[in-house]
Amino acid sequence: MYSINNTRHLTTALVTTLAFLPLAAHAQTTVVTPNTGMEEILVEGQVSVNPALSSAIPKNSSTLPAADGGDFLRSLPGVDGSRMGGHGIDPIIRGQARTQLNIINNGVFTYNGCPNRMDPPSSYSDIQTTDIVIVQRGYQSVQYGPGGTGGTVIFEHQAPTFEEGQTVKVATGAGYESNGDIFSLSGDGSAKVGAGYVRATGHFKDAGNYEDGDGEEVRSSFTQYGGGMEAGLKDENTEASIGVTYERIEDALFAGAGMDSPESENISLRGNVDQDIDGTGPLKAVHFNAYWSDVNHVMDNFSLRNRMMMFRQADTSTTSYGGKFVADMEAGGSKFNLGIDLQNRNMTSVSTGNDMNPDMLNLLQSFEMPDLNQIGFFVEGTTPVAEKVTLKAGLRYDHVSVNHHADQAITMGMMRSPNALYQKYYGVTAEDSKEDNLSGLLRLEYNIGTSSTAYFGVSRSVRTADITERAIARDMGNAPVMNMSWIGNPNLAPEKHYQIDAGYGLRKEGWSMLLSAYYDEVDDYIFRDHARGQDGILVADGAQIYRNIDARLWGVEVEGSLKVMDKLTLAADAAYTNGQNKDLDIPLPQIPPFSGQISLTWEEQDWELGGRMRWAVKQTRVDDNAMTGSGRDVQQTPGWAVIDLYGRYNVSKDITLRAGVSNLFDKAYTNHLNRENSYDGTEVQVNEPGRSFYIRLQAAF
């Protein structure tokens, strides 16, 4: 339960935030049409016209350059993230993470290679050249694949546009950050070729270990580089493209893990076709995309840190491929989409080790995890039901098939086979299985006037257990206190979310306000726990296991803007999430505290100056005891507030200089979601960076 003191802090923070409403981030206003089939979105900095949807153009941000896609997402309203190093920030929306979120990168579903999430899908996005980032908080559509119970994140590179007479356009960027001695470069070039185009992007970033606010060095260095090429055709009725992207991360150190990652890489291929249909029939357009993505990840406990014995290495690879076909239809004043999508993925893990010599690693286990195949059929549409009221309805059916290979695993020495572990902990072995999952939503939208909208929606969304939850099989001991074994459950039921959400958006000249709230009852929530002989768990040795529970999530989000003077804008946002484990009557783990940000910006045509305060109250609702719960929360994390300064100067119409300082007063603090610091015994959690000065030069011709 909340203490009186904590309630006082929460109330104070809420009142302070509401006092600064309406709030929003600043920047140029831009109208964009995503390639994902969504309606046009009004982007004003980081806030969209939809109360539960945020959009941002990364190149327009004057804040500290992001380490990767997940780090950038943390700057958006209602999004948080978990840190265990300098790279691989794992996003969390409305208390949900991992495959509770659909992460789409240029139409591609890429999945992590590391079961421990050193490389979440967002870490493979090229955030330096991405044109737009879109975040749907909550379950707003049935069109973006199975699952996505907590939301959908879309990273997009869009087809280039050319001014009359222009055939080539080039954008470059270079940046430096003092804390960690971080250097970055990016390039983006496009050329018009007849009715088509070609585009090439590339980037490089080299980061050392940063220091926290206490001056302590945090293992966080990494090097990332990559790029992409795309060729396309675009005319009045047709848009088609093919593309390839490559990303590589080297020598990534993780203070919050027992291993580091000497290398991770991703290569993906994609193709898209969008065709408008002329005529008076109901079919107005068709859209098709296909993709293939391959991730290879290596982690070990010796190549990037000093170790005398017990050398271990794990090589994992994840391959995913799929596609989607959608038909846009109109009939009787209603607009609707009919579609089918396909996702297939598999994961292979090879573990090697040697107790005394890292140059003579021996096979410990070779395990092809199950093939997880999903095919979905959906229909979604909108229809007017009154003069100012629109009904949005969607229905989705997913057929899931799981093909296990546990009986083909090769296990050496004293390690037990995956099936032996499943039998020990759950009394089952891995068998091929199928699921038939039904999701849907109903939403009423009321256009109160030209400048305000309200909505109320209900939904049912289903997420199948992912490959790690079903099949991870790490046999690492029997001691109940220090048992590091990690055992998936092939018998998990799919996770079912029953949500109610409501929102109100008001946008007036000079100010705006966006409010949203949600309530989510979850049947068969997939819970990462410890073996204590619970129902369905046959032993009590402390190993990490998975089981289904019932849970509840609810929360509120608020954002908006106020133009204090003609050129002075006040901005802020705040979010609160409450998660409860109903089976144990304790809080769910890894739920962010009440948090937000407040900014004040003076903007001229050629320059801007601003300051921002980021803050979070103390999180007292935790699951930090592995003897009674999951123990995945490290502690009751103290509240914090830090100040950032930022600025922009247009050197010319083609060159922009951005600079600033983050964490101005060099405060030592940690985000509640950050991992336990397993490398430095003097630190409890992985701390956030201390003060850092930064500069970024951008040029576009």
Tab-separated table of all heavy atoms in Angstrom, residues 275-316:
chain	number	residue	atom	x	y	z
A	275	GLN	N	-1.161	0.588	-53.741
A	275	GLN	CA	-1.795	0.886	-55.019
A	275	GLN	C	-3.198	1.434	-54.793
A	275	GLN	O	-4.054	0.779	-54.205
A	275	GLN	CB	-1.881	-0.385	-55.874
A	275	GLN	CG	-2.562	-0.202	-57.213
A	275	GLN	CD	-1.772	0.683	-58.164
A	275	GLN	OE1	-0.588	0.420	-58.389
A	275	GLN	NE2	-2.394	1.728	-58.707
A	276	ASP	N	-3.417	2.677	-55.253
A	276	ASP	CA	-4.762	3.240	-55.232
A	276	ASP	C	-5.563	2.674	-56.399
A	276	ASP	O	-5.032	2.450	-57.500
A	276	ASP	CB	-4.715	4.763	-55.330
A	276	ASP	CG	-4.113	5.409	-54.099
A	276	ASP	OD1	-4.155	4.770	-53.020
A	276	ASP	OD2	-3.594	6.535	-54.205
A	277	ILE	N	-6.854	2.477	-56.168
A	277	ILE	CA	-7.732	1.903	-57.178
A	277	ILE	C	-8.733	2.970	-57.627
A	277	ILE	O	-9.497	3.502	-56.806
A	277	ILE	CB	-8.494	0.679	-56.643
A	277	ILE	CG1	-7.515	-0.348	-56.050
A	277	ILE	CG2	-9.354	0.052	-57.736
A	277	ILE	CD1	-6.542	-0.937	-57.034
A	278	ASP	N	-8.727	3.294	-58.921
A	278	ASP	CA	-9.700	4.234	-59.456
A	278	ASP	C	-11.020	3.517	-59.717
A	278	ASP	O	-11.069	2.308	-59.933
A	278	ASP	CB	-9.185	4.842	-60.765
A	278	ASP	CG	-7.981	5.739	-60.539
A	278	ASP	OD1	-7.914	6.381	-59.474
A	278	ASP	OD2	-7.105	5.793	-61.434
A	279	GLY	N	-12.100	4.269	-59.695
A	279	GLY	CA	-13.395	3.682	-60.011
A	279	GLY	C	-14.411	3.950	-58.925
A	279	GLY	O	-14.114	4.530	-57.876
A	280	THR	N	-15.619	3.495	-59.179
A	280	THR	CA	-16.734	3.744	-58.271
A	280	THR	C	-17.041	2.557	-57.376
A	280	THR	O	-17.978	2.619	-56.572
A	280	THR	CB	-17.984	4.090	-59.088
A	280	THR	OG1	-18.281	2.993	-59.977
A	280	THR	CG2	-17.764	5.365	-59.901
A	281	GLY	N	-16.287	1.468	-57.482
A	281	GLY	CA	-16.531	0.291	-56.666
A	281	GLY	C	-16.085	0.486	-55.236
A	281	GLY	O	-15.478	1.503	-54.866
A	282	PRO	N	-16.354	-0.496	-54.391
A	282	PRO	CA	-16.006	-0.370	-52.965
A	282	PRO	C	-14.503	-0.459	-52.694
A	282	PRO	O	-14.042	0.036	-51.664
A	282	PRO	CB	-16.750	-1.534	-52.321
A	282	PRO	CG	-16.928	-2.534	-53.422
A	282	PRO	CD	-17.109	-1.738	-54.669
A	283	LEU	N	-13.729	-1.086	-53.570
A	283	LEU	CA	-12.294	-1.232	-53.346
A	283	LEU	C	-11.571	0.046	-53.746
A	283	LEU	O	-11.637	0.479	-54.900
A	283	LEU	CB	-11.747	-2.419	-54.146
A	283	LEU	CG	-10.252	-2.730	-53.977
A	283	LEU	CD1	-9.931	-3.092	-52.531
A	283	LEU	CD2	-9.836	-3.848	-54.930
A	284	LYS	N	-10.880	0.660	-52.785
A	284	LYS	CA	-10.223	1.941	-53.021
A	284	LYS	C	-8.699	1.843	-53.097
A	284	LYS	O	-8.062	2.659	-53.762
A	284	LYS	CB	-10.612	2.928	-51.914
A	284	LYS	CG	-12.107	3.192	-51.829
A	284	LYS	CD	-12.658	3.716	-53.145
A	284	LYS	CE	-14.152	3.980	-53.065
A	284	LYS	NZ	-14.714	4.429	-54.368
A	285	ALA	N	-8.101	0.872	-52.410
A	285	ALA	CA	-6.638	0.743	-52.433
A	285	ALA	C	-6.253	-0.617	-51.881
A	285	ALA	O	-7.015	-1.243	-51.131
A	285	ALA	CB	-5.976	1.853	-51.624
A	286	VAL	N	-5.064	-1.075	-52.260
A	286	VAL	CA	-4.498	-2.294	-51.690
A	286	VAL	C	-3.073	-1.999	-51.246
A	286	VAL	O	-2.375	-1.161	-51.824
A	286	VAL	CB	-4.515	-3.473	-52.690
A	286	VAL	CG1	-5.942	-3.896	-53.004
A	286	VAL	CG2	-3.762	-3.123	-53.969
A	287	HIS	N	-2.653	-2.697	-50.183
A	287	HIS	CA	-1.317	-2.515	-49.622
A	287	HIS	C	-0.718	-3.892	-49.353
A	287	HIS	O	-1.395	-4.785	-48.837
A	287	HIS	CB	-1.386	-1.735	-48.305
A	287	HIS	CG	-2.230	-0.507	-48.373
A	287	HIS	ND1	-1.766	0.705	-48.816
A	287	HIS	CD2	-3.545	-0.301	-48.059
A	287	HIS	CE1	-2.731	1.604	-48.757
A	287	HIS	NE2	-3.824	1.009	-48.304
A	288	PHE	N	0.551	-4.036	-49.694
A	288	PHE	CA	1.229	-5.317	-49.474
A	288	PHE	C	2.648	-5.049	-48.993
A	288	PHE	O	3.329	-4.150	-49.499
A	288	PHE	CB	1.263	-6.131	-50.768
A	288	PHE	CG	2.128	-7.361	-50.671
A	288	PHE	CD1	1.667	-8.506	-50.035
A	288	PHE	CD2	3.409	-7.369	-51.206
A	288	PHE	CE1	2.469	-9.640	-49.931
A	288	PHE	CE2	4.213	-8.494	-51.110
A	288	PHE	CZ	3.744	-9.632	-50.475
A	289	ASN	N	3.062	-5.799	-47.992
A	289	ASN	CA	4.469	-5.736	-47.612
A	289	ASN	C	4.948	-7.116	-47.204
A	289	ASN	O	4.166	-7.974	-46.761
A	289	ASN	CB	4.714	-4.718	-46.494
A	289	ASN	CG	4.600	-5.320	-45.109
A	289	ASN	OD1	3.528	-5.727	-44.699
A	289	ASN	ND2	5.708	-5.373	-44.388
A	290	ALA	N	6.238	-7.365	-47.402
A	290	ALA	CA	6.871	-8.617	-47.004
A	290	ALA	C	8.244	-8.289	-46.435
A	290	ALA	O	8.862	-7.277	-46.796
A	290	ALA	CB	7.006	-9.568	-48.197
A	291	TYR	N	8.735	-9.135	-45.521
A	291	TYR	CA	10.019	-8.863	-44.883
A	291	TYR	C	10.690	-10.163	-44.441
A	291	TYR	O	10.053	-11.217	-44.296
A	291	TYR	CB	9.840	-7.943	-43.665
A	291	TYR	CG	9.065	-8.583	-42.535
A	291	TYR	CD1	9.699	-9.328	-41.541
A	291	TYR	CD2	7.673	-8.456	-42.455
A	291	TYR	CE1	8.989	-9.931	-40.513
A	291	TYR	CE2	6.956	-9.052	-41.430
A	291	TYR	CZ	7.619	-9.787	-40.464
A	291	TYR	OH	6.919	-10.382	-39.460
A	292	TRP	N	11.980	-10.040	-44.235
A	292	TRP	CA	12.809	-11.103	-43.655
A	292	TRP	C	13.858	-10.427	-42.789
A	292	TRP	O	14.454	-9.421	-43.191
A	292	TRP	CB	13.475	-11.924	-44.755
A	292	TRP	CG	14.457	-12.959	-44.260
A	292	TRP	CD1	14.212	-14.241	-43.883
A	292	TRP	CD2	15.881	-12.775	-44.110
A	292	TRP	NE1	15.370	-14.870	-43.512
A	292	TRP	CE2	16.414	-14.006	-43.636
A	292	TRP	CE3	16.750	-11.700	-44.326
A	292	TRP	CZ2	17.774	-14.174	-43.381
A	292	TRP	CZ3	18.106	-11.869	-44.061
A	292	TRP	CH2	18.600	-13.102	-43.595
A	293	SER	N	14.076	-10.943	-41.579
A	293	SER	CA	15.018	-10.317	-40.649
A	293	SER	C	15.791	-11.396	-39.908
A	293	SER	O	15.204	-12.389	-39.464
A	293	SER	CB	14.272	-9.425	-39.651
A	293	SER	OG	15.163	-8.826	-38.731
A	294	ASP	N	17.090	-11.187	-39.774
A	294	ASP	CA	17.942	-12.163	-39.094
A	294	ASP	C	18.827	-11.436	-38.086
A	294	ASP	O	19.498	-10.450	-38.424
A	294	ASP	CB	18.810	-12.911	-40.109
A	294	ASP	CG	19.595	-14.051	-39.469
A	294	ASP	OD1	18.950	-15.007	-38.985
A	294	ASP	OD2	20.835	-13.977	-39.441
A	295	VAL	N	18.812	-11.903	-36.845
A	295	VAL	CA	19.608	-11.327	-35.753
A	295	VAL	C	20.568	-12.380	-35.232
A	295	VAL	O	20.169	-13.524	-34.973
A	295	VAL	CB	18.698	-10.836	-34.607
A	295	VAL	CG1	19.530	-10.479	-33.374
A	295	VAL	CG2	17.871	-9.648	-35.049
A	296	ASN	N	21.826	-12.011	-35.083
A	296	ASN	CA	22.827	-12.878	-34.469
A	296	ASN	C	23.464	-12.126	-33.308
A	296	ASN	O	23.915	-10.985	-33.465
A	296	ASN	CB	23.899	-13.282	-35.483
A	296	ASN	CG	23.356	-14.202	-36.554
A	296	ASN	OD1	23.139	-15.377	-36.325
A	296	ASN	ND2	23.114	-13.653	-37.741
A	297	HIS	N	23.490	-12.777	-32.147
A	297	HIS	CA	23.928	-12.116	-30.917
A	297	HIS	C	24.894	-13.023	-30.167
A	297	HIS	O	24.642	-14.222	-30.009
A	297	HIS	CB	22.707	-11.818	-30.037
A	297	HIS	CG	23.035	-11.291	-28.683
A	297	HIS	ND1	23.402	-9.984	-28.454
A	297	HIS	CD2	23.053	-11.898	-27.462
A	297	HIS	CE1	23.618	-9.805	-27.162
A	297	HIS	NE2	23.421	-10.955	-26.542
A	298	VAL	N	26.007	-12.449	-29.724
A	298	VAL	CA	27.013	-13.180	-28.952
A	298	VAL	C	27.201	-12.471	-27.622
A	298	VAL	O	27.343	-11.244	-27.571
A	298	VAL	CB	28.366	-13.251	-29.691
A	298	VAL	CG1	29.399	-13.993	-28.844
A	298	VAL	CG2	28.200	-13.923	-31.049
A	299	MET	N	27.195	-13.249	-26.540
A	299	MET	CA	27.499	-12.683	-25.230
A	299	MET	C	28.394	-13.646	-24.466
A	299	MET	O	28.295	-14.866	-24.640
A	299	MET	CB	26.215	-12.390	-24.440
A	299	MET	CG	25.295	-13.563	-24.261
A	299	MET	SD	23.758	-13.094	-23.410
A	299	MET	CE	22.816	-14.609	-23.560
A	300	ASP	N	29.284	-13.082	-23.670
A	300	ASP	CA	30.161	-13.922	-22.852
A	300	ASP	C	30.556	-13.171	-21.595
A	300	ASP	O	30.263	-11.977	-21.453
A	300	ASP	CB	31.395	-14.385	-23.644
A	300	ASP	CG	32.318	-13.242	-24.061
A	300	ASP	OD1	32.612	-12.370	-23.215
A	300	ASP	OD2	32.756	-13.207	-25.223
A	301	ASN	N	31.235	-13.869	-20.699
A	301	ASN	CA	31.606	-13.251	-19.417
A	301	ASN	C	33.117	-13.080	-19.278
A	301	ASN	O	33.602	-12.903	-18.154
A	301	ASN	CB	31.061	-14.071	-18.246
A	301	ASN	CG	31.659	-15.475	-18.181
A	301	ASN	OD1	32.487	-15.865	-19.013
A	301	ASN	ND2	31.245	-16.255	-17.185
A	302	PHE	N	33.849	-13.088	-20.412
A	302	PHE	CA	35.308	-13.042	-20.278
A	302	PHE	C	36.016	-12.151	-21.288
A	302	PHE	O	37.084	-11.618	-20.988
A	302	PHE	CB	35.894	-14.458	-20.376
A	302	PHE	CG	35.559	-15.181	-21.651
A	302	PHE	CD1	36.333	-15.024	-22.788
A	302	PHE	CD2	34.462	-16.029	-21.709
A	302	PHE	CE1	36.021	-15.687	-23.961
A	302	PHE	CE2	34.143	-16.695	-22.875
A	302	PHE	CZ	34.919	-16.527	-24.007
A	303	SER	N	35.499	-11.975	-22.503
A	303	SER	CA	36.262	-11.258	-23.525
A	303	SER	C	36.349	-9.762	-23.255
A	303	SER	O	37.298	-9.109	-23.696
A	303	SER	CB	35.669	-11.507	-24.910
A	303	SER	OG	34.382	-10.935	-25.027
A	304	LEU	N	35.400	-9.189	-22.517
A	304	LEU	CA	35.368	-7.755	-22.262
A	304	LEU	C	35.459	-7.414	-20.774
A	304	LEU	O	35.261	-6.264	-20.380
A	304	LEU	CB	34.084	-7.149	-22.843
A	304	LEU	CG	33.924	-7.297	-24.356
A	304	LEU	CD1	32.549	-6.804	-24.804
A	304	LEU	CD2	35.020	-6.547	-25.103
A	305	ARG	N	35.754	-8.424	-19.939
A	305	ARG	CA	35.936	-8.184	-18.507
A	305	ARG	C	36.932	-9.201	-17.965
A	305	ARG	O	37.140	-10.262	-18.557
A	305	ARG	CB	34.615	-8.248	-17.755
A	305	ARG	CG	33.863	-9.564	-17.875
A	305	ARG	CD	32.580	-9.562	-17.043
A	305	ARG	NE	31.560	-8.674	-17.578
A	305	ARG	CZ	30.401	-8.421	-16.975
A	305	ARG	NH1	30.127	-8.975	-15.793
A	305	ARG	NH2	29.500	-7.621	-17.512
A	306	ASN	N	37.566	-8.872	-16.862
A	306	ASN	CA	38.567	-9.754	-16.257
A	306	ASN	C	37.884	-10.894	-15.509
A	306	ASN	O	36.984	-10.676	-14.703
A	306	ASN	CB	39.454	-8.963	-15.295
A	306	ASN	CG	40.284	-7.910	-16.011
A	306	ASN	OD1	40.746	-8.134	-17.132
A	306	ASN	ND2	40.475	-6.767	-15.372
A	307	ARG	N	38.344	-12.115	-15.784
A	307	ARG	CA	37.769	-13.282	-15.134
A	307	ARG	C	38.834	-14.371	-15.070
A	307	ARG	O	39.601	-14.571	-16.018
A	307	ARG	CB	36.541	-13.764	-15.896
A	307	ARG	CG	35.709	-14.772	-15.113
A	307	ARG	CD	34.438	-15.127	-15.850
A	307	ARG	NE	33.603	-16.035	-15.067
A	307	ARG	CZ	32.678	-15.662	-14.214
A	307	ARG	NH1	32.448	-14.374	-14.030
A	307	ARG	NH2	31.969	-16.549	-13.534
A	308	MET	N	38.855	-15.136	-13.977
A	308	MET	CA	39.901	-16.130	-13.767
A	308	MET	C	39.437	-17.558	-14.062
A	308	MET	O	40.250	-18.435	-14.312
A	308	MET	CB	40.411	-16.057	-12.319
A	308	MET	CG	40.960	-14.696	-11.924
A	308	MET	SD	42.353	-14.181	-12.960
A	308	MET	CE	43.570	-15.418	-12.467
A	309	MET	N	38.121	-17.795	-14.016
A	309	MET	CA	37.624	-19.153	-14.233
A	309	MET	C	36.137	-19.102	-14.577
A	309	MET	O	35.535	-18.034	-14.603
A	309	MET	CB	37.848	-20.027	-13.002
A	309	MET	CG	37.171	-19.520	-11.737
A	309	MET	SD	37.426	-20.596	-10.308
A	309	MET	CE	39.210	-20.507	-10.134
A	310	MET	N	35.571	-20.268	-14.850
A	310	MET	CA	34.154	-20.417	-15.193
A	310	MET	C	33.792	-19.540	-16.387
A	310	MET	O	32.929	-18.672	-16.332
A	310	MET	CB	33.269	-20.092	-13.987
A	310	MET	CG	33.493	-20.983	-12.777
A	310	MET	SD	33.051	-22.710	-13.110
A	310	MET	CE	31.281	-22.602	-13.227
A	311	PHE	N	34.475	-19.771	-17.502
A	311	PHE	CA	34.257	-18.983	-18.714
A	311	PHE	C	33.047	-19.536	-19.473
A	311	PHE	O	32.971	-20.739	-19.737
A	311	PHE	CB	35.513	-19.033	-19.589
A	311	PHE	CG	36.755	-18.597	-18.871
A	311	PHE	CD1	37.685	-19.535	-18.422
A	311	PHE	CD2	36.994	-17.261	-18.620
A	311	PHE	CE1	38.829	-19.143	-17.751
A	311	PHE	CE2	38.139	-16.856	-17.944
A	311	PHE	CZ	39.058	-17.797	-17.506
A	312	ARG	N	32.127	-18.639	-19.838
A	312	ARG	CA	30.909	-19.050	-20.512
A	312	ARG	C	30.594	-18.107	-21.681
A	312	ARG	O	30.858	-16.907	-21.615
A	312	ARG	CB	29.715	-19.045	-19.543
A	312	ARG	CG	29.835	-20.050	-18.406
A	312	ARG	CD	29.765	-21.481	-18.899
A	312	ARG	NE	29.799	-22.453	-17.821
A	312	ARG	CZ	30.916	-23.045	-17.378
A	312	ARG	NH1	32.085	-22.743	-17.938
A	312	ARG	NH2	30.846	-23.923	-16.394
A	313	GLN	N	30.024	-18.698	-22.722
A	313	GLN	CA	29.615	-17.928	-23.902
A	313	GLN	C	28.300	-18.477	-24.422
A	313	GLN	O	28.051	-19.682	-24.366
A	313	GLN	CB	30.674	-18.012	-25.006
A	313	GLN	CG	30.309	-17.262	-26.285
A	313	GLN	CD	31.443	-17.220	-27.281
A	313	GLN	OE1	32.558	-16.797	-26.959
A	313	GLN	NE2	31.173	-17.670	-28.500
A	314	ALA	N	27.451	-17.583	-24.914
A	314	ALA	CA	26.173	-17.983	-25.510
A	314	ALA	C	26.019	-17.287	-26.856
A	314	ALA	O	26.187	-16.059	-26.951
A	314	ALA	CB	25.012	-17.628	-24.591
A	315	ASP	N	25.737	-18.063	-27.879
A	315	ASP	CA	25.484	-17.552	-29.226
A	315	ASP	C	24.018	-17.823	-29.552
A	315	ASP	O	23.581	-18.983	-29.533
A	315	ASP	CB	26.371	-18.231	-30.253
A	315	ASP	CG	27.855	-17.962	-30.028
A	315	ASP	OD1	28.361	-18.272	-28.927
A	315	ASP	OD2	28.493	-17.453	-30.939
A	316	THR	N	23.272	-16.778	-29.859
A	316	THR	CA	21.865	-16.954	-30.198
A	316	THR	C	21.577	-16.292	-31.543
A	316	THR	O	22.213	-15.299	-31.917
A	316	THR	CB	20.933	-16.355	-29.132
A	316	THR	OG1	21.262	-14.971	-28.957
A	316	THR	CG2	21.092	-17.075	-27.808
